Amino acid sequence: MPLFEVETDSHIIITWAKDSDDASSVVTEAYPTDTVLRLTKRPRDTWVISKGALGLSGELDPCHTARDCLSKSEGDKVHAIRLYMHETGVDLEQARKVVESNMVMGW
């Protein structure tokens, strides 16, 4: 059974499911008020990251910006963190959390 990564407006959920419809159902049952933003097939075990716990809430799309910074830095984490801080104005700790969480997601 494949593993799916489902990003919502509040969570990133990685869960086993038969197909993308089943993966969406898992999210709907667990977090009925969340809206699915992205759904991707992934390897490994099931886990969930609360975006609020990482300080990733607000109008800015931190995932898109962090992935863009990682791409520009060619995967160099320190450079990506500096770029993220420059583009968003956040402090070092918040930039580190956002960039590292996106590295785990396979930017």
Side-chain angles (χ1 to χ4, degrees), residues 29-72:
E29 290 172 19
Y31 303 101
T33 61
D34 282 13
T35 302
V36 174
L37 303 175
R38 181 175 54 87
L39 190 128
T40 310
K41 239 184 211 186
R42 299 282 298 171
R44 310 272 183 239
D45 296 328
T46 301
W47 47 282
V48 176
I49 299 172
S50 171
K51 288 182 174 181
L54 294 174
L56 304 179
S57 55
E59 293 188 29
L60 173 70
D61 180 1
C63 293
H64 175 73
T65 305
R67 289 181 193 128
D68 186 49
C69 291
L70 280 161
S71 180
K72 288 177 185 175

Side-chain angles (χ1 to χ4, degrees), residues 3-7 11-16 26-27 31 38 42-50 54 100-106:
L3 195 65
F4 287 87
E5 175 183 343
V6 185
E7 180 179 355
H11 298 90
I12 298 169
I13 303 160
I14 300 180
T15 187
W16 294 105
V26 168
V27 175
Y31 303 101
R38 181 175 54 87
R42 299 282 298 171
R44 310 272 183 239
D45 296 328
T46 301
W47 47 282
V48 176
I49 299 172
S50 171
L54 294 174
E100 286 180 350
S101 67
N102 277 277
M103 290 179 79
V104 170
M105 294 190 297

Side-chain angles (χ1 to χ4, degrees), residues 50-94:
S50 171
K51 288 182 174 181
L54 294 174
L56 304 179
S57 55
E59 293 188 29
L60 173 70
D61 180 1
C63 293
H64 175 73
T65 305
R67 289 181 193 128
D68 186 49
C69 291
L70 280 161
S71 180
K72 288 177 185 175
S73 70
E74 298 178 337
D76 180 335
K77 179 174 83 171
V78 174
H79 186 57
I81 290 169
R82 287 184 186 130
L83 285 171
Y84 189 87
M85 289 171 62
H86 177 73
E87 290 187 19
T88 64
V90 300
D91 66 9
L92 176 64
E93 185 61 21
Q94 187 172 4

